[in-house]
Amino acid sequence: MSLVYARDLINYIDQSPSQFHAVSNAESRLLEAGFIKLDKAEKWQLSKGGKYFITNNSSSFIAFELGTGDIIKEGFRLIGSHTDSPTFKVKPKPEISVENSYLKLNTEMYGGAIASTWFDRELSLAGRVSIKTDNPLKPAEKLVNIDKDLLTIPSLCIHMNRTVNEQSAIDKQKDVLPILATINEELEKDNLLINMLADELKVATEDILDFELYLYNREKGKIVGLNDEFISVGKLDNLAMVHASLVALFESKSSQATKVIIANDNEEVGSMTKQGANSPMLKNLLERIIFALGYDQEDYHRAINNSFIISADMAHAVHPNYSDKSDPTNRPIINQGVVIKLAASQSYTSDAVSVGVYKGVCQKAGIPVQTFVNRSDMRGGSTIGPITSQQLDISSIDIGNALLAMHSVRELGGVKDHKDIITSFITYFEC
Ligand SMILES: [Zn+2]
């Protein structure tokens, strides 16, 4: 059973080479499960027990199932995650020819990628393209995934870089630009990328107004390990939690409380966007639900007071080759339970009360729990949890699954952990 969820996660990630694809695939699954897409520009008619979702910027979504109980008393039961992962973004006017013979693409890093993991792999491009229509204010938007081994970033050979194994600094402007082609004629070197996009999307070159394209790794995800215990694939941070919250939403029985899952974009670059956790989109949605059901502003605040958020993002496992990098007493191991993340700095939202809530849920579900705290001499990352808390004063906890190689093009998570966290989410929704 564990493997079923792990394989489904791998499929979801393999089909989601950009955050736009992650949302589009989530949308297909939501529609298939009977969720109705709401138009944000219309007045909403919602009914008890109804299942709905919205998308924002095509790169984030919120899905919810209205509870059967009194929404003001039962409140919202939320799970938050994020759709974006570190990668490289193609810059405008990206083509650079070298020696009049190679064509490479100019890129910039998106988020905190481990750049060294991107060398010598088959890569391609995915994202979205904006296409001209009759109305300049409403260009069409098309997702694009060049389904081909298209690009590669070759390493400099060891003979020209003798210290490569001693730790080499990587220049983000110089060392990591991917090669697209060898070119023969002067003519070929301009607009190769735009021509390729026009071909792919079957539109005229001059109708392409702009693009947001990201590099992705072509290698499919795999189950690895003697006992098939590991999941090896990129973007586990944080599509694993997007997937887990979706599955829990689908597989949990309808409950008294209103179940809500939110997948934000731009967590890896600070969340300060209209589709990120620092935007009012979640607050607005919760308000609209309350108003659409005929309640007032005070009722909204009462419902908020009775709500709870799980901020779900991956956590650092103890690394077998660097076990000294972890805290001396809080040492998460892959496949040994979901991880509760804590920090005195409040870079995670967990507090004694919210930890108590989630531990209770896990006990009910029969799932082991581990704790993560940074070493006191190391600054860790953060999550959407504290950012969401700036928008909504809802009791919140930060949790996730143990992960190795976070932000590598290939990350390593646990098969059992993925099933366990789904079970904890289902129990949370149902209790
Ligand atoms: Zn993350």
Side-chain angles (χ1 to χ4, degrees):
M1 191 58 187
S2 293
L3 274 173
V4 174
Y5 287 123
R7 291 214 169 95
D8 189 52
L9 168 62
I10 288 173
N11 280 341
Y12 177 61
I13 293 178
D14 284 344
Q15 290 162 11
S16 303
S18 77
Q19 59 269 60
F20 306 106
H21 293 83
V23 170
S24 162
N25 291 322
E27 180 164 345
S28 307
R29 287 177 181 227
L30 284 160
L31 290 170
E32 201 179 307
F35 283 71
I36 297 163
K37 187 171 183 177
L38 295 169
D39 184 341
K40 285 177 287 173
E42 293 297 323
K43 236 179 167 10
W44 295 349
Q45 310 282 340
L46 308 178
S47 44
K48 263 193 179 179
K51 302 173 184 180
Y52 308 93
F53 72 100
I54 58 166
T55 62
N56 281 311
N57 187 52
S58 311
S59 64
S60 66
F61 70 88
I62 309 174
F64 60 97
E65 182 180 331
L66 289 175
T68 50
D70 176 349
I71 192 164
I72 308 302
K73 287 211 179 77
E74 299 293 338
F76 300 103
R77 216 157 283 174
L78 298 123
I79 301 174
S81 60
H82 65 91
T83 58
D84 61 322
S85 303
T87 175
F88 293 89
K89 186 177 188 213
V90 178
K91 287 184 178 175
K93 294 201 280 181
E95 292 168 24
I96 301 174
S97 82
V98 181
E99 308 285 317
N100 254 326
S101 303
Y102 294 116
L103 196 77
K104 61 181 185 178
L105 295 181
N106 193 7
T107 61
E108 58 185 319
M109 193 183 275
Y110 176 89
I114 304 178
S116 61
T117 62
W118 285 77
F119 287 89
D120 308 316
R121 291 181 182 264
E122 296 78 45
L123 308 171
S124 191
L125 297 172
R128 67 174 171 180
V129 178
S130 159
I131 295 159
K132 195 170 167 179
T133 64
D134 294 339
N135 183 350
L137 292 179
K138 294 199 170 148
E141 173 194 359
K142 281 201 178 181
L143 300 200
V144 63
N145 170 16
I146 308 294
D147 190 12
K148 174 181 166 56
D149 299 330
L150 184 73
L151 303 158
T152 188
I153 307 171
S155 293
L156 180 60
C157 64
I158 194 167
H159 316 83
M160 295 178 188
N161 184 13
R162 289 289 178 189
T163 60
V164 63
N165 290 332
E166 272 87 74
Q167 218 172 42
S168 291
I170 294 172
D171 181 327
K172 291 175 198 155
Q173 183 59 66
K174 177 178 164 47
D175 298 329
V176 287
L177 302 189
I179 302 180
L180 175 66
T182 54
I183 45 176
N184 298 316
E185 291 167 40
E186 216 34 35
L187 266 182
E188 263 189 321
K189 86 178 182 206
D190 283 327
N191 296 324
L192 216 67
L193 181 70
I194 293 288
N195 289 336
M196 184 186 72
L197 291 174
D199 241 33
E200 179 75 23
L201 296 170
K202 309 207 169 20
V203 297
T205 313
E206 57 275 19
D207 287 345
I208 294 185
L209 299 169
D210 199 19
F211 55 77
E212 283 173 59
L213 295 174
Y214 297 90
L215 264 55
Y216 74 92
N217 181 18
R218 294 279 296 162
E219 191 188 357
K220 302 276 185 227
K222 293 190 176 87
I223 305 285
V224 304
L226 179 63
N227 304 304
D228 290 338
E229 59 264 72
F230 299 115
I231 303 171
S232 170
V233 67
K235 299 178 191 288
L236 283 171
D237 174 13
N238 193 13
L239 293 186
M241 294 301 105
V242 176
H243 177 264
S245 59
L246 271 172
V247 172
L249 183 65
F250 298 151
E251 294 194 359
S252 56
K253 292 197 229 64
S254 61
S255 107
Q256 297 271 93
T258 292
K259 305 181 252 178
V260 186
I261 65 168
I262 171 160
N264 301 277
D265 191 10
N266 301 129
E267 192 273 342
E268 302 293 356
V269 291
S271 298
M272 308 273 278
T273 60
K274 66 186 185 306
Q275 59 277 359
N278 205 16
S279 77
M281 69 176 172
L282 178 58
K283 185 168 166 276
N284 289 349
L285 175 102
L286 300 181
E287 249 175 4
R288 287 188 72 169
I289 292 175
I290 295 295
F291 295 159
L293 292 171
Y295 297 100
D296 65 17
Q297 189 71 42
E298 188 178 25
D299 296 328
Y300 164 74
H301 292 293
R302 291 168 62 209
I304 290 296
N305 190 61
N306 292 325
S307 298
F308 192 86
I309 297 185
I310 292 176
S311 161
D313 205 343
M314 301 305 272
H316 302 298
V318 171
H319 194 299
N321 297 341
Y322 305 91
S323 58
D324 55 317
K325 294 283 184 189
S326 294
D327 181 69
T329 59
N330 297 279
R331 304 175 69 76
I333 306 286
I334 287 179
N335 289 329
Q336 291 192 7
V338 295
V339 180
I340 295 174
K341 300 189 258 185
L342 300 112
S345 67
Q346 299 299 300
S347 55
Y348 302 123
T349 54
S350 315
D351 56 36
V353 173
S354 63
V355 169
V357 169
Y358 188 66
K359 273 191 177 165
V361 168
C362 289
Q363 272 170 15
K364 193 169 178 200
I367 286 167
V369 165
Q370 314 181 75
T371 46
F372 172 84
V373 187
N374 285 303
R375 272 186 69 97
S376 303
D377 49 7
M378 257 181 222
R379 193 178 66 88
S382 188
T383 68
I384 58 148
I387 295 165
T388 306
S389 292
Q390 292 172 47
Q391 297 286 336
L392 285 164
D393 52 341
I394 297 178
S395 184
S396 174
I397 187 170
D398 271 281
I399 58 123
N401 270 338
L403 186 73
L404 288 170
M406 188 181 283
H407 290 194
S408 167
V409 76
R410 202 83 181 165
E411 297 169 327
L412 196 70
V415 167
K416 178 177 180 294
D417 285 338
H418 194 59
K419 176 175 182 274
D420 279 354
I421 209 158
I422 290 171
T423 308
S424 85
F425 291 167
I426 291 174
T427 306
Y428 164 67
F429 278 149
E430 289 179 350
C431 67

